[in-house]
Amino acid sequence: MVTDALIAVRTLVLLVAPVTAGLLLTTPSGPALHSAAAYTMFTVAVVHVIVTIVQWRPRGGPPQPILYAALFLALTLAQVALGIAGVTVAHVPLGVLMFGLSLVQLSRARTAAGRPRPDRPDRPDRPA
């Protein structure tokens, strides 16, 4: 599913961001790399919200995935604002929290991927 892939990409970007933060402190190209990670995270968060809305609309399922995606976009915006303002005392813990939340959501998506969906039969020889 596309949203599961976006959650995986988001988790990967959140793993790369602290590495680029370390480079920010040690190399001349560090600020550009950390900025690129921030732009990538923002882009992934916006695309995730759009994709969840597009996937939800035709099926008419619960809007909970949209809420999760929107919450993560809000956390991303707060993270960017704190980073630009230089408030590292809140920026760093929020980044750790975001990575942890993304890992939890990724593990739930992977667990759910192993279960048969209610709209599909678990056995192809039996009707739904």
Side-chain angles (χ1 to χ4, degrees):
M1 187 176 225
V2 176
T3 55
D4 296 346
L6 285 168
I7 294 169
V9 169
R10 179 182 70 200
T11 306
L12 180 64
V13 172
L14 286 168
L15 180 64
V16 169
V19 173
T20 62
L23 294 172
L24 176 82
L25 302 171
T26 58
T27 64
S29 60
L33 292 172
H34 196 60
S35 179
Y39 280 115
T40 303
M41 183 61 231
F42 175 75
T43 303
V44 169
V46 169
V47 169
H48 190 200
V49 169
I50 293 168
V51 166
T52 54
I53 291 171
V54 168
Q55 285 185 340
W56 165 76
R57 199 70 169 129
R59 288 188 274 158
Q64 191 174 13
I66 299 170
L67 178 66
Y68 291 147
L71 176 65
F72 225 92
L73 176 60
L75 289 173
T76 301
L77 291 172
Q79 181 73 337
V80 169
L82 290 169
I84 290 171
V87 185
T88 56
V89 70
H91 181 76
V92 172
L94 181 57
V96 172
L97 175 69
M98 288 173 66
F99 181 67
L101 290 173
S102 193
L103 279 176
V104 168
Q105 199 173 19
L106 180 62
S107 70
R108 286 184 178 174
R110 290 183 50 91
T111 302
R115 290 188 220 133
R117 289 183 22 200
D119 62 337
R120 287 192 294 176
D122 56 345
R123 290 181 38 195
D125 59 335
R126 292 177 43 198

